[in-house]
Amino acid sequence: QVQLVESGGGSVQAGGSLRLSCVVSTFDYTRLCMAWFRLAPGKEREGVAVIGRKDITRYADSVKGRFTISQDKAKNTLYLQMNSLEPADTAMYYCAASQRYCLRLERYVYDYWGQGTQVTVSS
């Protein structure tokens, strides 16, 4: 069983930064491919960033150049550094893990999800 716990959300003004963390409880983190998703009111859950087993990354166009996904395999922890935040980034952010697929932004390929952490960006 894999458990994911996010933290680091909060309220910031536009232009500010936040760093999200996701601690993954699993017997072998290195077998997982990880991602960050977000869900804004009235919208579908959107894939934001993904990272593969060899630390290859991929981003949604809406966050390229502003967000950075990374992982510390020794700590079983996934991160999302968010800079130059915009009101449109306001959403609940979720980390997700897949045992079978890597570098995919589609939500259906992910087997495990965290409970989410709220990010609110004011103008």
Side-chain angles (χ1 to χ4, degrees):
Q1 187 68 14
V2 178
Q3 294 184 328
L4 312 173
V5 179
E6 303 96 333
S7 62
S11 297
V12 296
Q13 290 190 327
S17 298
L18 284 173
R19 188 193 196 201
L20 306 183
S21 299
C22 173
V23 177
V24 184
S25 299
T26 179
F27 71 96
D28 191 357
Y29 179 88
T30 61
R31 295 181 62 181
L32 300 174
C33 289
M34 303 297 298
W36 286 99
F37 283 76
R38 66 186 180 186
L39 179 61
K43 296 186 177 181
E44 293 189 356
R45 192 170 298 200
E46 173 191 21
V48 173
V50 297
I51 187 166
R53 298 184 183 98
K54 296 183 178 180
D55 292 340
I56 297 171
T57 59
R58 181 183 172 196
Y59 297 91
D61 289 342
S62 57
V63 306
K64 279 181 183 177
R66 300 189 298 121
F67 290 11
T68 302
I69 187 171
S70 62
Q71 59 189 351
D72 185 334
K73 296 173 186 175
K75 296 182 178 180
N76 283 17
T77 302
L78 178 73
Y79 301 100
L80 185 68
Q81 178 67 44
M82 304 185 295
N83 298 327
S84 302
L85 282 162
E86 305 168 352
D89 296 318
T90 295
M92 185 72 80
Y93 283 72
Y94 300 87
C95 66
S98 174
Q99 294 179 316
R100 298 164 294 164
Y101 299 98
C102 290
L103 300 175
R104 298 280 294 274
L105 288 170
E106 298 92 340
R107 60 185 178 181
Y108 71 87
V109 308
Y110 291 89
D111 307 298
Y112 305 99
W113 294 84
Q115 83 289 348
T117 186
Q118 178 68 37
V119 172
T120 302
V121 185
S122 59
S123 58

